[in-house]
Amino acid sequence: MPVSTRQSVRPKPTSTEPLSSNTLSPLQSSLFSRLLAMNTYKLTAALLIFFATTHTIGGLLLPNDFGVEGNALFSAMQTVRFNFMGRLRTLHDFYMGFGLGATVFLSMSAALSWVLSVHPSTTGHTTAQRFASRSAMKGEAKKVDEGDGNVVIRGKEEERLEELLSRLKWILFVSNFANMLLCYVYFFVPPMVVSTAIAVLLGLECLKDWIHC
């Protein structure tokens, strides 16, 4: 009787555990870290655009019913004129001017958040790499050990760019944190919630920079 020489091969067990960040390739890990940083600032930019739009349209442009006494007061704000530093103005002029000024501030913050979202993180290993090769050619670059075994080339231009971006992050956070406090003192629940979310997201980015510095 012929004897079969075929051997049964057991399938290798497959692990059902999710891949940790340590098992990812350097490229995947870098892209994942950068994606997290970009999402934070893009979400902040979206919240700021929402804040600016609702503030401008709902608070300044659309008519609102303030009740009998409130409507009478608002009408007086629009009609009673007084001389202020050589110009005839109404309280409604100041109301609209300061209100639209807040719109400009929120829009500028949204634009800056978007710029920071598409720029490499100041705490990652991919910061301003386009400057590194040029600095290396000029002899201005130096090797820096990041502490995790990775050695990157940093030039003077790159270091100045990192410092500038870090300052912009803190300026953006502090200004929006102050705006959050003003919302709690003078306004109502919706702007309180949105301004708090914005301040928290911006503060987290500054905290990450502070931890890695």
Side-chain angles (χ1 to χ4, degrees):
M1 178 181 295
V3 179
S4 174
T5 59
R6 182 181 300 173
Q7 297 180 353
S8 61
V9 179
R10 294 182 179 180
K12 295 182 179 180
T14 57
S15 175
T16 58
E17 296 181 358
L19 291 176
S20 63
S21 59
N22 295 331
T23 61
L24 296 176
S25 66
L27 178 60
Q28 290 174 322
S29 178
S30 175
L31 291 176
F32 182 70
S33 299
R34 184 175 179 181
L35 181 62
L36 288 178
M38 290 174 61
N39 283 345
T40 302
Y41 275 113
K42 284 185 176 179
L43 177 58
T44 305
L47 287 174
L48 284 163
I49 292 173
F50 171 77
F51 199 178
T53 303
T54 53
H55 160 76
T56 305
I57 297 177
L60 300 176
L61 301 181
L62 292 180
N64 294 286
D65 185 7
F66 302 105
V68 177
E69 295 180 351
N71 290 336
L73 176 61
F74 193 73
S75 177
M77 288 176 57
Q78 294 175 304
T79 56
V80 177
R81 295 185 175 274
F82 54 91
N83 187 296
F84 188 82
M85 294 187 177
R87 298 296 299 271
L88 287 177
R89 291 300 181 194
T90 65
L91 288 178
H92 185 263
D93 292 334
F94 289 96
Y95 171 81
M96 290 296 296
F98 285 116
L100 292 175
T103 301
V104 173
F105 166 74
L106 294 172
S107 301
M108 182 276 297
S109 296
L112 183 55
S113 296
W114 185 265
V115 170
L116 290 173
S117 75
V118 298
H119 198 283
S121 173
T122 58
T123 60
H125 305 311
T126 59
T127 307
Q129 290 182 348
R130 62 183 178 275
F131 292 105
S133 59
R134 187 170 64 183
S135 299
M137 294 176 61
K138 295 180 179 179
E140 298 176 351
K142 61 181 180 180
K143 292 184 178 181
V144 178
D145 189 352
E146 293 288 329
D148 54 0
N150 294 323
V151 177
V152 297
I153 298 177
R154 293 185 183 274
K156 292 181 179 179
E157 292 185 37
E158 182 182 352
E159 291 178 354
R160 286 195 293 266
L161 180 61
E162 286 184 353
E163 184 179 358
L164 174 62
L165 289 177
S166 180
R167 290 180 179 179
L168 287 176
K169 288 182 178 183
W170 279 99
I171 291 172
L172 187 62
F173 164 65
V174 171
S175 59
N176 278 274
F177 182 80
N179 184 59
M180 180 198 72
L181 295 180
L182 292 174
C183 289
Y184 274 87
V185 173
Y186 294 107
F187 297 131
F188 38 93
V189 174
M192 291 179 187
V193 174
V194 178
S195 62
T196 300
I198 292 170
V200 168
L201 290 174
L202 294 175
L204 286 176
E205 286 296 327
C206 291
L207 180 62
K208 287 193 291 185
D209 276 3
W210 181 74
I211 291 175
H212 288 85
C213 67

